[in-house]
Structure formats: C-alpha cells, structure tokens
Amino acid sequence: MENIQLISVLEKVTKQRNMMLIVGGTMLLSNLFLSIGVMSINREVILVPGIDREFKIRGTDVSLSYLEEWSRITLVGLLDLTPNNVLHKKSMILKHTLTGSIQDISGYFAEKSEQHKEFDLITYFTETKPLEIDPETLSVKATGILTIGYGKKDFEDRDAEYQLEFQMSGGKLKLKKFIEIIKPNLKAPSKKEEEEGKV
C-alpha cells in the first residue's frame, strides 16, 4: 500500500518537474527570440537640446524665446567656421533658408569657403550684448566679437554686428536675410582731413 502511494507521489513530482522544465524552456526560448529581435531593430535616437523656456509657434506668431534660440543656432552656422566645416555649415543653413534667399546665402558661403581655405581661417562669434529682437518683423540684431584665427597662431578680435531676418514658411521659421552691419570708422580721418594733412 505504501509502495503504491509512494509511486503516485513520485509520478506527481515527476509531472510537476516536467511541467516546470517545459515552462522554463519556453521562457528561455522566448527571451532568446526577444533579445535577437531587439538587437536587429534599427533605432534612431533623437536628442533634444535642453529647453528651459516655453517655445511657441502659432501661425505667423513666434515666441521671443524661440526666435532668440533659433537666431543663436543660425549665427553659429553662419559665423563659427573652419576650412573643414564650411560646406557642412552651408548645407545645414540652406535647409532652413527661404527659397528666394538661397542664392544670397550660397554666395556668402562660397566667399567664406574660399577665404577660409586660402588663409586657413577659423572664425567664431561671441555675443557681448543681449540679442535685440523685433518679433513683429522677425528680425534680430546680434552684437559681439568676431574672433578670427589665421592658421593656428595668430588670432585677432574685432567688434561685429549682424542683422538676421526670418520669415515663416510652411510652419517653419526660415532665414530670409543675413547682413553684417558696418559702422563708419570714427577714428579714420576723413578725405578732407587727409587732403589738409598733405598740404
């Protein structure tokens, strides 16, 4: 009698063990297939820069904070140049330029590309005053210092002002105009003074 009970208990334990082996094997196979699936997926991770203020775009209205940040990104693309990155910066900026302004901006980059390669120039712009933003006309004035490096040894700083104009196109803020504001040199003598000096 005890032998029969012992055999039935052993049969139950054996069935339970077999069931656990089947469940464990199934879980192991499913984890293996899941791992292979995850490794074979091509994923694109987009990192968003730190945004600490609210940005708004509604129709043709753009928040000051968005216009300010977009202007800074555009200035970096236009002014922080080396012989190696000019073409990359050009393609980056042209993606965000109005169709009617592409020729002017391309001309700007063609000139910069030639200068940077010929003289081994490095340039970068540093703001010295807050950006002057006009949200009505979507224009921005940037004042700062343009650092120009000739080769890797000679660097010079000069005051510089730039005017950026944007326009909404297809729900996106696009570059319309970029110009350097040239101030008259107050220290340079006028033609009249030069002529008087010659006499």
Side-chain angles (χ1 to χ4, degrees):
M1 191 76 158
E2 286 181 14
N3 288 342
I4 295 172
Q5 284 180 341
L6 189 59
I7 290 171
S8 69
V9 169
L10 281 173
E11 285 176 355
K12 281 183 186 179
V13 170
T14 305
K15 285 180 184 177
Q16 287 175 352
R17 184 199 65 196
N18 290 344
M19 284 298 289
M20 291 299 287
L21 284 173
I22 291 169
V23 169
T26 306
M27 288 174 65
L28 182 65
L29 283 174
S30 64
N31 280 336
L32 184 63
F33 288 131
L34 182 63
S35 299
I36 292 169
V38 167
M39 286 192 300
S40 65
I41 292 175
N42 288 332
R43 291 187 303 170
E44 187 174 329
V45 177
I46 299 171
L47 297 176
V48 179
I51 296 172
D52 57 358
R53 293 179 294 171
E54 187 175 341
F55 290 162
K56 289 182 186 174
I57 298 177
R58 186 178 302 127
T60 57
D61 293 335
V62 178
S63 66
L64 283 175
S65 56
Y66 183 80
L67 192 54
E68 182 180 342
E69 289 303 317
W70 194 245
S71 297
R72 286 197 173 106
I73 290 168
T74 304
L75 285 166
V76 166
L78 290 163
L79 298 172
D80 294 3
L81 302 173
T82 68
N84 298 326
N85 75 6
V86 173
L87 295 178
H88 170 71
K89 295 281 181 97
K90 175 185 176 182
S91 68
M92 182 181 84
I93 293 295
L94 288 180
K95 286 178 189 174
H96 304 287
T97 301
L98 276 177
T99 306
S101 303
I102 286 178
Q103 188 174 354
D104 292 339
I105 301 300
S106 291
Y108 166 81
F109 275 107
E111 181 185 327
K112 293 299 173 190
S113 177
E114 190 177 306
Q115 289 173 353
H116 279 67
K117 286 179 182 169
E118 184 179 346
F119 301 108
D120 195 22
L121 291 181
I122 296 171
T123 57
Y124 59 91
F125 179 72
T126 308
E127 284 178 49
T128 55
K129 291 182 183 176
L131 296 175
E132 295 175 34
I133 301 170
D134 183 354
E136 297 297 319
T137 60
L138 297 178
S139 63
V140 177
K141 181 180 169 187
T143 304
I145 295 171
L146 184 69
T147 302
I148 305 166
Y150 301 92
K152 294 182 179 168
K153 295 179 181 175
D154 298 324
F155 284 85
E156 74 175 51
D157 292 337
R158 69 172 175 85
D159 293 333
E161 285 187 351
Y162 298 95
Q163 183 80 27
L164 297 162
E165 291 180 20
F166 297 95
Q167 184 176 319
M168 290 300 292
S169 176
K172 294 178 181 178
L173 193 62
K174 297 209 167 188
L175 180 63
K176 180 181 177 184
K177 194 174 189 181
F178 171 70
I179 54 169
E180 182 174 4
I181 301 167
I182 307 291
K183 288 186 175 179
N185 190 352
L186 300 176
K187 294 178 184 176
S190 67
K191 286 185 179 180
K192 187 177 179 183
E193 289 172 344
E194 285 178 2
E195 288 171 4
E196 288 174 0
K198 289 177 183 176
V199 174

